[in-house]
Amino acid sequence: MSTILIKNGQIVTATDDYVADILVQDGRVHTIGKEIEVGADIPVHDASGLLVLPGGVDVHTHLEFNFGDFETIDDFETGTRSAAFGGTTTLVDFCNQGDKTPMDALEGWHKRAEKACVDVSAHVILNKVDDEALAQMRGLIHDEGISSFKLFTAYPGIFMVDDAGLFKAMRQARDNNAMICVHAENGGVIEVLIQEALAAGHTGPKYHEATRPSIMEGEATQRVITISELAEAPVYIVHLSASEALDAVTRARDRGVPVFAETCPHYLFLDKQEYERPGFEAAKFVMTPPLRECSHQHDLWRGLKTDDLQVISTDHCPFCFHEQPNGILYSKQQGVDNFNKIPNGAPGVETRLPLVFDGGVHKHQMSINRFVQLTATAPAKLFGLFPRKGTIAVGSDADIVIFDPNQKWTIKAEQQHSKIDYTLFEGKEIMGKVRKVFLGGRLIVEEGTWHGKRGMGKFVKRGNAGKI
Ligand SMILES: [Zn+2]
């Protein structure tokens, strides 16, 4: 494979910040130093005045994700290409067990993921924790490199598991150096509220928020943490949106319990006012958990500062707003008469790095190191990808982003590379833009132009999860 040199960039990792050159060979960082000399035949990328960052690691995406009557619109080609344009070079996507065994489900996921343009791994979703699934967890962890699983305390009849299943899966994960991720909301109570709302004729998209109160996220998060304490297992709370849930995480961490949590850009920058949009527009913002009162945002920024939240991922789960020619499966319009039928999810994989850079580094006194930690290093460490991913170091994969911290631009759906027909952040002005992206030393994005190839992303076997 080829050799390249990235010259004079400001290299930023979770701990370092200095100007140097990076020599890349055979897909990895070979040498970092001052004034590295190369022959005239070696491509040189001048990064003077720009940041050189490790490629982003997004540990929460749903590509070609099928559940019931819905399927996300991005396949592994379009979803990963969109990620690359946003400076993300590794995804840990969700593989849904559905009505299969976990092993069979993973086989199907691998087939779909062959199209990936960036590196990928999967968390396996367990919706049935029986003896077979528990036994297969061992094989998935030790033979397949799948060191994390996701369980739900929400969506009864589809994904929800009971406390016993959660407890058993946590112990099995603990015994095998893996980690359980949990979508924590009280699914039973929420289902009652949904049926009551529909019976009262409340069918519009804003009732999605009204029927998923933040205290029910707090209650489930506390319950999950308590069960994990008994299991003596690390646990990771996905897409944390509510102050009550953050309180539970903070209290547990203060006691030294290995609880980790992520939040997502939409919870940091948007609030429930979006549900007051006229007509069906609010359906664009129907994701789970829903957007909260503004006060929760302040608490989430506090949590990022105090390391009670360790990761920012996207929960990229794209359903188009408008009906699609290839069927209603992919569209929010499915729920035009009933908010409970609006597919839950929103796009975001392409805008994460610039949004967090602009909102965090420029506007919330976040250091650039912390920005890298939240978007690349911590997720890589927690999910067994570090030091191959999540940093720039000798021997690590040459997944590198050249980023202009001062370039201004405006987010527009039509300029995104996902198949989705909207963005949550239409018209938002951003300072900080991805200029070039390298995957394993190969230039895949250059000033908005795609040089990557369908299928060039690799499946990455992961090591132990649950430590940082
Ligand atoms: Zn999700």
Side-chain angles (χ1 to χ4, degrees):
M1 275 175 81
S2 58
T3 301
I4 61 162
L5 182 67
I6 299 171
K7 262 199 106 55
N8 289 322
Q10 182 183 343
I11 300 168
V12 180
T13 69
T15 50
D16 300 311
D17 185 348
Y18 56 93
V19 173
D21 304 342
I22 302 172
L23 183 71
V24 171
Q25 242 169 37
D26 300 328
R28 302 203 168 189
V29 174
H30 181 279
T31 309
I32 301 173
K34 289 278 188 192
E35 292 161 33
I36 297 175
E37 302 278 338
V38 289
D41 56 328
I42 302 299
V44 176
H45 297 269
D46 183 12
S48 303
L50 302 172
L51 303 181
V52 178
L53 310 171
V57 177
D58 188 346
V59 293
H60 194 145
T61 66
H62 300 266
L63 303 179
E64 289 177 57
F65 187 83
N66 185 293
F67 56 109
D69 297 336
F70 316 129
E71 188 171 324
T72 55
I73 187 82
D74 274 323
D75 64 21
F76 276 88
E77 182 179 7
T78 62
T80 55
R81 194 171 61 209
S82 182
F85 274 100
T88 291
T89 49
T90 305
L91 301 183
V92 186
D93 187 73
F94 287 104
C95 162
N96 187 14
Q97 178 189 359
D99 54 9
K100 301 188 182 72
T101 70
M103 276 290 186
D104 288 345
L106 183 66
E107 204 180 307
W109 181 92
H110 272 298
K111 284 209 183 82
R112 296 190 294 280
E114 280 171 6
K115 304 185 281 297
C117 307
V118 302
D119 288 356
V120 289
S121 178
H123 317 272
V124 171
I125 291 174
L126 302 177
N127 50 278
K128 207 169 66 178
V129 186
D130 54 13
D131 290 345
E132 187 180 33
L134 286 165
Q136 287 197 1
M137 279 175 74
R138 290 181 57 87
L140 287 164
I141 297 163
H142 299 294
D143 304 330
E144 306 296 326
I146 301 293
S147 52
S148 52
F149 302 83
K150 183 185 183 189
L151 282 77
F152 289 70
T153 65
Y155 298 119
I158 307 171
F159 292 121
M160 194 166 103
V161 296
D162 62 13
D163 293 348
L166 193 58
F167 182 57
K168 287 180 189 170
M170 281 176 174
R171 286 206 296 205
Q172 184 70 316
R174 173 204 65 192
D175 290 345
N176 294 280
N177 294 311
M179 184 161 62
I180 300 298
C181 308
V182 185
H183 174 140
E185 283 182 302
N186 188 316
V189 169
I190 286 168
E191 193 55 33
V192 172
L193 298 179
I194 290 171
Q195 295 312 324
E196 282 177 1
L198 291 172
H202 296 150
T203 57
K206 72 175 186 182
Y207 292 98
H208 173 72
E209 185 274 331
T211 54
R212 308 191 87 93
S214 61
I215 55 170
M216 288 295 97
E217 186 184 338
E219 180 277 332
T221 303
Q222 180 58 62
R223 176 160 40 103
V224 165
I225 291 171
T226 305
I227 295 168
S228 79
E229 271 192 85
L230 187 66
E232 296 179 11
V235 68
Y236 182 89
I237 307 297
V238 301
H239 52 42
L240 188 148
S241 75
S243 303
E244 295 90 336
L246 179 59
D247 284 347
V249 170
T250 304
R251 282 195 305 272
R253 288 179 62 82
D254 287 350
R255 291 200 304 282
V257 176
V259 176
F260 308 99
E262 66 178 18
T263 191
C264 310
H266 40 269
Y267 303 122
L268 293 169
F269 298 108
L270 301 171
D271 64 60
K272 66 181 262 191
Q273 284 211 352
E274 305 293 349
Y275 298 117
E276 300 305 324
R277 288 180 179 230
F280 195 55
E281 275 284 301
K284 292 176 177 173
F285 301 85
V286 170
M287 77 286 284
T288 303
L291 300 175
R292 304 297 189 187
E293 295 270 7
C294 199
S295 62
H296 295 260
Q297 264 180 32
H298 300 293
D299 290 335
L300 295 179
W301 283 105
R302 191 278 298 163
L304 292 173
K305 224 174 235 178
T306 54
D307 204 38
D308 290 309
L309 295 169
Q310 296 77 39
V311 174
I312 301 174
S313 61
T314 63
D315 197 4
H316 181 77
C317 188
F319 299 101
C320 288
F321 180 66
H322 297 287
E323 215 164 296
Q324 298 301 299
N326 47 0
I328 198 163
L329 274 180
Y330 309 102
S331 159
K332 295 274 187 189
Q333 301 298 324
Q334 191 147 323
V336 74
D337 299 319
N338 176 347
F339 72 89
N340 197 33
K341 292 196 171 146
I342 300 171
N344 291 185
V349 76
E350 192 165 334
T351 44
R352 181 181 66 135
L353 291 192
L355 271 170
V356 177
F357 192 89
D358 179 62
V361 177
H362 284 308
K363 298 186 180 129
H364 272 88
Q365 296 86 41
M366 182 186 284
S367 74
I368 316 178
N369 304 104
R370 180 67 178 157
F371 162 77
V372 170
Q373 188 173 10
L374 289 164
T375 55
T377 318
K381 284 185 176 175
L382 276 170
F383 290 100
L385 291 160
F386 186 85
R388 183 171 168 190
K389 306 291 188 188
T391 193
I392 295 176
V394 172
S396 64
D397 282 0
D399 301 343
I400 293 171
V401 175
I402 300 183
F403 191 87
D404 184 341
N406 297 313
Q407 190 173 337
K408 289 187 182 150
W409 62 290
T410 303
I411 297 178
K412 290 186 184 136
E414 61 190 32
Q415 289 168 4
Q416 304 272 293
H417 300 82
S418 161
K419 274 191 190 159
I420 189 82
D421 59 355
Y422 76 97
T423 158
L424 297 172
F425 302 99
E426 187 69 37
K428 188 173 171 67
E429 289 186 7
I430 296 286
M431 203 195 317
K433 196 167 198 305
V434 171
R435 300 280 297 273
K436 290 182 184 177
V437 179
F438 301 86
L439 177 74
R442 289 198 278 180
L443 181 64
I444 58 172
V445 172
E446 182 180 25
E447 311 292 357
T449 300
W450 178 240
H451 296 305
K453 270 209 312 261
R454 173 188 167 103
M456 73 185 293
K458 289 191 283 293
F459 173 73
V460 185
K461 281 194 174 186
R462 296 187 283 122
N464 295 350
K467 294 195 176 78
I468 199 162

